[in-house]
Amino acid sequence: MIEEGSKRGKAMVEKRQLFMEMRAQNFDVIRLSTYRTACKLRFVQKRCNLHLVDVWNMIEAFRDNGLNTLDHNAEISVSRLETILSSIYYQLNKRLPTTHQINVEQSIGLLLNFMVATYDSESHGKLTVFSMKAMLATMCGGKIVDKLRYIFSQISDSSGVMVFAKFDQFLREVLKLPTAVFEGPSFGYTEHSVRMCFPQQKIMLNTFLDVLMADPPPQCLVWLPLMHRLANVENVFHPVECSYCRSESMMGFRYRCQQCHGYQLCQSCFWRGHANGPHSNQHQMKEHSSWKSPAKKLSHAISKSLGCVPIGEAPHPVFPEQAERPQELPHTVVLESPSRLDEEHRLIARYAARLAAEAGNSTQQCPPTDLSFNFDANKQQRQLIAELENKNREILQEIQRLRLEHEQASQPTPEKAQQNPTLLTELRLLRHRKDELERRMSALQESRRELMVQLEGLMRLLKSQSGGSPHSSPSHGAGCSMPMPIRSTSAGSTPTHTPQDCLAGVGGDVLEAFSQGVPRNLRNDLLVAADSITNTMSSLVKELHSVDDAAEDDDTNMRNGGDRGTLRVQKH
């Protein structure tokens, strides 16, 4: 009995620990309820380490724990809630570096007690799935637009239109958060909250985001965007002196009076209602979340007067009005069909088919829209790549062999040069060898061009089938090809064929692959091959020209007489 009483007493202390620490922060001295509520919820978020869990990681945790297959009104026990929170925090520690690990057990205990106190005030020992999703999606880290998109996916129908009854349920659950931190009188739920937010009849995603991210937002949710702004300005530095506390600099928000010239307050003084001199708390104050130097302000004013300031962008990206929510497909809750998993798989298949069709339009070829991914085709492609790499190595070896043979054939020995008949015979052999080398070079160039054409087709096929996956070949400009750089070792040489000639008809992907450095071994090998061919051809043509000149001189000598020809050869 004594041991059970001690455990119960310890549980009560842990349950009150978070609220005791929050009271110690003395947030109640903040005179404005909006800032007071946002500061309290931000403290709970950081104390429970929820600010380290991104909204996308939270959504993935919902799916991993099977919450996407449950009805919103289904109830889960506190023990299962603890299991879900454990998976969230342990996965978080895996993503964090070892020097920033969190105390998982402490975070689980604090968050579990806060959620039970907020959503199970009557101690039933159960919470609904929707209340848990609404709380965790609101209090986790990440961008507010991503959170609102996920919330809209939970309260809209299959056609992408918001269901007012579900939004009313969301307001009931999310407004329990201000009530949990003792701000219920300012931001409590009322029956008119829904119509105050949306007087329209049909609400799509963009309208939903416009209303909740407006300035100002609906009164009942004004603390939500402020909590995100607080997170963004916690480490912002302002090199400005506070007009009340005389602090030489301030962190966080900065407030500037619109009536008193040069009067500025730090966030601590403004939140507590401090004022001095001619300034009054009734004056309008402008909130600043960043610092701009006077020089930047002057340049901005000049640019604005000259019409150089771009038109302000929308506070959030504009999304299609159709019911397409790619980020929600893996987490869809289907309530209308008895076979919810089959319906979810069909949704994923339709979305994958739409992505494949879009990828086909961009490459002017429509890829197959089969979700099963043809693994045999992928295997054949890998084999084709291996064959192309082997063929490329063979070409490089042949080029090296021809280079050695050409060097040996283009250097006559002094003994041979002293004998006219033998020299003439060797010159004829050299001319014959020259023609043979030129034919071989042409054949190699044609083989290299065919290799590049095959590689181009392969790259286009891989790009169309992968559908824009991270392993697909990069393409920055369709149809735009840069000329391939040519390196020459001799300024005076005039090669009859250049690497660009053999690239005629090759698509832009291969040329772009050559112009982007060496992102993988195949491109590096082909680039080395192109340079080797260019250098070899330049040297070959230069040597052949010198051979032709020597042959012409020897023919002239033979016509002028054997003795004089022998004498000239000896002089040479």
Side-chain angles (χ1 to χ4, degrees):
M1 293 296 294
I2 297 177
E3 185 177 355
E4 293 180 358
S6 61
K7 289 183 179 180
R8 190 180 300 109
K10 183 179 180 180
M12 291 298 294
V13 171
E14 292 179 350
K15 187 174 182 179
R16 297 175 182 175
Q17 178 182 354
L18 184 63
F19 296 98
M20 293 170 58
E21 293 179 1
M22 185 177 63
R23 289 184 182 275
Q25 299 294 319
N26 200 21
F27 291 122
D28 291 330
V29 300
I30 301 176
R31 64 187 182 95
L32 299 177
S33 60
T34 303
Y35 287 97
R36 190 168 58 244
T37 304
C39 288
K40 290 181 179 180
L41 292 178
R42 175 62 178 169
F43 172 80
V44 174
Q45 181 191 47
K46 295 182 66 176
R47 189 66 182 85
C48 296
N49 289 313
L50 277 176
H51 66 296
L52 301 175
V53 183
D54 190 79
V55 60
W56 302 112
N57 299 126
M58 190 65 72
I59 296 173
E60 189 65 27
F62 293 160
R63 176 173 177 79
D64 292 342
N65 289 276
L67 299 181
N68 60 314
T69 61
L70 299 178
D71 188 278
H72 280 174
N73 296 322
E75 294 183 339
I76 59 175
S77 62
V78 176
S79 60
R80 185 177 180 185
L81 174 61
E82 185 176 4
T83 302
I84 296 173
L85 297 182
S86 300
S87 66
I88 293 173
Y89 282 116
Y90 279 112
Q91 289 296 325
L92 171 62
N93 253 359
K94 292 181 180 179
R95 296 189 298 269
L96 293 176
T98 55
T99 56
H100 293 76
Q101 298 287 297
I102 64 171
N103 189 332
V104 174
E105 297 299 331
Q106 185 184 41
S107 301
I108 294 173
L110 291 175
L111 182 56
L112 181 65
N113 291 327
F114 179 76
M115 294 183 67
V116 170
T118 303
Y119 294 101
D120 188 27
S121 57
E122 298 181 0
S123 301
H124 293 307
K126 294 182 179 180
L127 283 76
T128 63
V129 172
F130 187 70
S131 62
M132 188 193 66
K133 282 186 175 182
M135 185 273 174
L136 292 178
T138 303
M139 294 294 292
C140 68
K143 297 180 180 179
I144 185 174
V145 64
D146 295 333
K147 295 182 180 182
L148 294 178
R149 288 193 69 193
Y150 173 72
I151 291 171
F152 185 82
S153 69
Q154 300 295 301
I155 62 176
S156 59
D157 57 18
S158 58
S159 61
V161 180
M162 187 187 76
V163 180
F164 279 89
K166 292 184 178 180
F167 178 69
D168 181 77
Q169 184 182 5
F170 167 72
L171 283 184
R172 289 175 184 269
E173 301 298 339
V174 78
L175 290 179
K176 290 179 181 179
L177 292 173
T179 303
V181 293
F182 315 106
E183 297 295 336
S186 300
F187 301 104
Y189 170 81
T190 62
E191 296 179 356
H192 306 287
S193 298
V194 176
R195 286 301 174 185
M196 290 177 62
C197 296
F198 299 104
Q200 305 95 329
Q201 295 297 325
K202 184 178 180 180
I203 306 300
M204 307 294 287
L205 173 59
N206 291 322
T207 306
F208 180 79
L209 296 177
D210 288 337
V211 171
L212 295 189
M213 297 181 65
D215 188 15
Q219 181 59 31
C220 60
L221 294 174
V222 68
W223 51 269
L224 180 57
L226 179 58
M227 185 177 70
H228 286 79
R229 296 206 309 272
L230 278 173
N232 294 332
V233 302
E234 284 182 347
N235 298 319
V236 174
F237 175 77
H238 304 267
V240 180
E241 181 184 18
C242 178
S243 300
Y244 183 84
C245 66
R246 299 301 176 184
S247 175
E248 296 181 355
S249 61
M250 57 186 73
M251 298 287 291
F253 286 120
R254 173 172 55 91
Y255 297 89
R256 187 183 188 90
C257 182
Q258 301 298 292
Q259 299 182 26
C260 304
H261 177 71
Y263 192 90
Q264 303 188 72
L265 293 176
C266 62
Q267 66 178 21
S268 179
C269 293
F270 175 75
W271 289 354
R272 286 160 175 76
H274 295 159
N276 58 347
H279 178 70
S280 172
N281 288 332
Q282 304 302 320
H283 291 180
Q284 184 179 1
M285 302 289 288
K286 185 176 181 179
E287 182 183 275
H288 295 272
S289 58
S290 62
W291 161 255
K292 290 184 180 180
S293 63
K296 289 185 178 179
K297 291 182 180 179
L298 178 60
S299 63
H300 179 77
I302 295 175
S303 300
K304 188 175 181 180
S305 63
L306 296 176
C308 299
V309 179
I311 300 175
E313 299 180 354
H316 64 85
V318 178
F319 302 99
E321 295 294 348
Q322 301 297 326
E324 49 178 359
R325 299 186 292 273
Q327 81 282 1
E328 186 52 27
L329 284 173
H331 320 285
T332 304
V333 179
V334 182
L335 305 179
E336 293 78 12
S337 174
S339 56
R340 290 188 292 267
L341 290 177
D342 295 338
E343 179 65 22
E344 180 180 351
H345 292 161
R346 286 195 293 270
L347 287 173
I348 297 175
R350 286 200 297 270
Y351 176 63
R354 186 178 62 81
L355 286 180
E358 292 178 356
N361 293 333
S362 62
T363 58
Q364 299 180 355
Q365 291 183 357
C366 183
T369 56
D370 186 12
L371 187 64
S372 60
F373 297 109
N374 195 337
F375 293 101
D376 294 336
N378 292 338
K379 184 178 179 180
Q380 294 177 0
Q381 293 164 8
R382 288 192 294 269
Q383 292 177 354
L384 180 57
I385 290 176
E387 293 175 0
L388 292 175
E389 290 179 347
N390 293 333
K391 190 172 184 179
N392 179 66
R393 284 191 291 268
E394 292 176 0
I395 291 176
L396 291 176
Q397 294 174 359
E398 184 66 17
I399 289 174
Q400 185 66 22
R401 185 183 64 81
L402 290 175
R403 176 185 296 175
L404 295 176
E405 291 183 1
H406 178 265
E407 291 176 353
Q408 295 175 359
S410 61
Q411 295 180 359
T413 59
E415 293 79 11
K416 293 180 181 179
Q418 295 176 1
Q419 299 176 5
N420 289 338
T422 307
L423 179 61
L424 292 176
T425 304
E426 289 182 356
L427 288 177
R428 294 189 187 96
L429 292 176
L430 284 176
R431 290 193 181 98
H432 179 72
R433 184 59 178 169
K434 170 188 173 183
D435 296 336
E436 182 179 333
L437 287 176
E438 288 179 349
R439 289 193 298 270
R440 183 59 181 168
M441 285 296 178
S442 299
L444 284 177
Q445 295 286 16
E446 182 63 22
S447 177
R448 180 171 174 266
R449 191 192 67 81
E450 292 176 358
L451 175 63
M452 290 185 179
V453 171
Q454 294 180 12
L455 179 59
E456 171 66 16
L458 176 60
M459 292 172 66
R460 188 184 300 110
L461 180 61
L462 289 176
K463 185 188 304 179
S464 63
Q465 287 196 359
S466 59
S469 65
H471 301 284
S472 62
S473 300
S475 180
H476 301 288
C480 297
S481 60
M482 297 295 291
M484 179 173 151
I486 301 176
R487 293 183 294 177
S488 178
T489 58
S490 176
S493 62
T494 56
T496 58
H497 300 283
T498 64
Q500 282 185 328
D501 296 334
C502 69
L503 294 180
V506 180
D509 287 329
V510 172
L511 292 180
E512 183 180 0
F514 277 89
S515 62
Q516 289 181 347
V518 286
R520 62 175 183 258
N521 293 334
L522 182 56
R523 296 179 182 178
N524 188 23
D525 292 340
L526 291 176
L527 183 59
V528 172
D531 289 341
S532 300
I533 291 176
T534 304
N535 295 334
T536 302
M537 291 176 60
S538 299
S539 302
L540 175 62
V541 171
K542 183 178 179 181
E543 294 296 334
L544 291 177
H545 277 294
S546 62
V547 169
D548 290 339
D549 294 339
E552 291 176 1
D553 292 340
D554 291 332
D555 290 340
T556 303
N557 293 336
M558 292 296 297
R559 286 194 298 269
N560 291 337
D563 296 336
R564 291 176 56 187
T566 303
L567 179 60
R568 292 191 60 181
V569 170
Q570 291 177 351
K571 287 183 179 180
H572 282 293

